[in-house]
Each structure stands twice: as C-alpha cells, then as structure tokens.
Amino acid sequence: MSDSNPTVVDNPWQALRQFTAARIALGRSGVSLPTSAQLEFQLAHARARDAVHLALDTQALRQALNNNGDICITLSSAAETRDIYLQRPDLGRRLDAASRSALTEQPRSASRRYDLAIVIADGLSALAIEQNALPFLDALKQRLAPDNWTLAPLAIVRQGRVAIGDEVGELLGAKAVVVLIGERPGLSSPDSMGLYLTWAPRVGLTDESRNCISNVRPAGLSYAEAAYKLHYLLTQARQRQLSGVQLKDETASQHGELQRPERNFLLEER
C-alpha cells in the first residue's frame, strides 16, 4: 500500500511511469482508480477539449513572424466558423474565395518558382501552433539556409486541415509545401504539432502523397530533431521529385540512433 494514502494500493510496475506520460500503473482503491488519477484524467480531458475549440490568434502570430523578418499572408478556409469546421472536414481542406484571390494576386518572378511554401494552420489545436510554430521555424531556417531554398511568403490559415496546403502551394506555384498544423489533442498532449510535406502540391492529392512528422513539442520530438528530419526529407524530395509513400525517413539508420536493446528492461538485474 501507499505510505501517504493507506487506502490506495500501488501498482508493482509504477516505476515504468518515469518513461512515459501514458496512464499506466495507476494503482487502485478497492476496485476503482484512486481519486487523484481520476481527477488528473478529467483535467487532461478538459484541456484537450479546450485545445480543440481555442481560436488561433492570427494577428499575434503574424506580428511575431513579422518581427522575425518573415512576410506573411493570412488566409481562411471555406469553413466560416469553428462549429462548421469541426463538422465539415471537406470545407477545411479548401480556401475561401477571398483567400484564393489573395494568393492569385501575389507578385512572383516569371523566371523562378518558389522552392518551398510553408503553411501554418490551426488544425485541431491552436495551442500547438501558438507554442511550437515559431521555435520550430527558427530551427528549420537554420537547416535550410545553406541550401538556398527560395521561400514563398508564409501562409497562416484559419480553420485549416492538412490538405489545404496543396491548394496554397499550387496557387503560389511552389515546388513543395510543408504544413505546420495542430494535431488532434491526446489526453496527455494537447500541444502536439504535426508537419506534412508534399512535393508538387495540387488540389486533389491524397495522404499517400505526403510525409508526416508528428508530435513536435517540448515533451515530444524536439524542434532541432524535427527540423533535421524535415530537412532530410525536403532534400530527398527535391533530388528525387517525389514525396509520400515513395519517400522514406532514413535519418535514424544514417545516424545509428535506434540501437537494439541489449536486454529486456522488464527483467531484473541478476
């Protein structure tokens, strides 16, 4: 039993909780969860719901990006409200008419296309974008700088889903598009950001055309590691003119970061 609360029986695997935020080895009180674990679950659920409904502060994000020297465009999907966005995923994948016109009227060089368009969309967690987009972009720019990538103006999209990047990239005439988007909140990760890369973006592509890097946040995949993986995929995509299921992330094997464990960690030392 727990020393602090004699009514709670500790789980013998409780030590494993140091390795994960997953709800494992919570113990029990009678045949139920301990009160503390039940309250933590309800709090996590409330935070996940708040993250889904929170509106992205596009003005603050645009100002912060401008302060970093980035040129930004603010766009909207065809989903006019958050309620419509949550019930009509198809509308979140397409721009509204005003946003299409704004992109069509963007000045561009007749002799050179943009190499890369970056789209920042709220997705299902504006919190993830507000906390992670700027520090990740700083890490990515350091990776891209030596390769002379020509970047399109950054596009901030309200009520956007992943596929909206295809329309933005197509209208900007970009060779590739990367979408930074708030992921569907988990019960321990309301702040997780996903990255989606598509080569030759155009309306109508499906998920098999994209590469995804997920769980970018301080408690997940670090900004530096995510930028490293995305830079690798971008470089390969440009060399091979493709993305999606035909393009694999081989960064781990290149650096030998995934080592086979020497023993089962569940077995006790002898």
Side-chain angles (χ1 to χ4, degrees):
M1 289 190 178
S2 166
D3 293 336
S4 59
N5 188 347
T7 66
V8 175
V9 178
D10 290 336
N11 187 290
W13 284 17
Q14 190 176 27
L16 297 180
R17 296 182 63 184
Q18 65 181 301
F19 301 113
T20 176
R23 286 180 168 75
I24 61 171
L26 298 177
R28 64 180 176 83
S29 179
V31 295
S32 302
L33 285 175
T35 300
S36 60
Q38 182 65 27
L39 291 175
E40 289 172 0
F41 174 84
Q42 291 176 335
L43 177 60
H45 188 257
R47 285 174 171 162
R49 287 177 60 88
D50 286 348
V52 169
H53 293 282
L54 180 69
L56 179 63
D57 188 342
T58 55
Q59 289 188 344
L61 179 59
R62 180 168 182 160
Q63 185 61 52
L65 291 168
N66 288 340
N67 291 342
N68 278 356
D70 294 310
I71 301 173
C72 302
I73 317 167
T74 303
L75 308 169
S76 297
S77 76
E80 297 178 355
T81 68
R82 196 64 178 172
D83 287 344
I84 294 175
Y85 173 78
L86 294 174
Q87 297 176 69
R88 291 286 305 273
D90 57 320
L91 297 181
R93 299 184 184 113
R94 297 301 302 270
L95 295 168
D96 64 10
S99 297
R100 283 197 296 273
S101 297
L103 289 180
T104 304
E105 295 168 0
Q106 279 290 308
R108 64 192 68 184
S109 170
S111 60
R112 187 176 183 186
R113 295 173 58 191
Y114 293 121
D115 293 317
L116 176 63
I118 297 178
V119 176
I120 305 173
D122 45 9
L124 290 171
S125 174
L127 177 68
I129 293 301
E130 292 179 355
Q131 294 187 355
N132 302 312
L134 264 68
F136 168 74
L137 283 173
D138 288 341
L140 179 62
K141 287 177 185 175
Q142 293 179 26
R143 289 281 179 183
L144 295 178
D147 299 339
N148 298 317
W149 287 78
T150 304
L151 301 182
L154 286 174
I156 303 170
V157 183
R158 304 186 193 91
Q159 322 280 26
R161 297 198 181 251
V162 172
I164 206 163
D166 295 336
E167 188 169 19
V168 174
E170 182 178 13
L171 291 173
L172 285 171
K175 297 175 183 175
V177 65
V178 169
V179 179
L180 284 57
I181 192 165
E183 296 179 337
R184 185 186 305 277
L187 288 177
S188 60
S189 56
D191 59 341
S192 182
M193 184 175 74
L195 315 172
Y196 290 83
L197 160 66
T198 307
W199 181 260
R202 59 189 183 281
V203 174
L205 292 178
T206 58
D207 287 343
E208 56 86 21
S209 301
R210 312 182 222 287
N211 291 87
C212 175
I213 299 172
S214 184
N215 197 30
V216 181
R217 61 193 180 105
L221 188 66
S222 70
Y223 305 131
E225 185 70 10
Y228 169 71
K229 288 179 175 292
L230 181 57
H231 177 252
Y232 171 85
L233 290 171
L234 281 167
T235 302
Q236 292 295 313
R238 185 157 66 168
Q239 290 177 357
R240 300 165 60 183
Q241 310 279 292
L242 52 80
S243 62
V245 296
Q246 300 180 75
L247 180 61
K248 305 301 180 186
D249 175 10
E250 298 176 342
T251 53
S253 60
Q254 282 193 345
H255 286 255
E257 295 170 354
L258 297 180
Q259 302 292 332
R260 183 182 295 278
E262 297 180 353
R263 59 181 296 277
N264 189 324
F265 72 95
L266 292 176
L267 300 178
E268 295 182 356
E269 296 286 352
R270 296 187 178 182

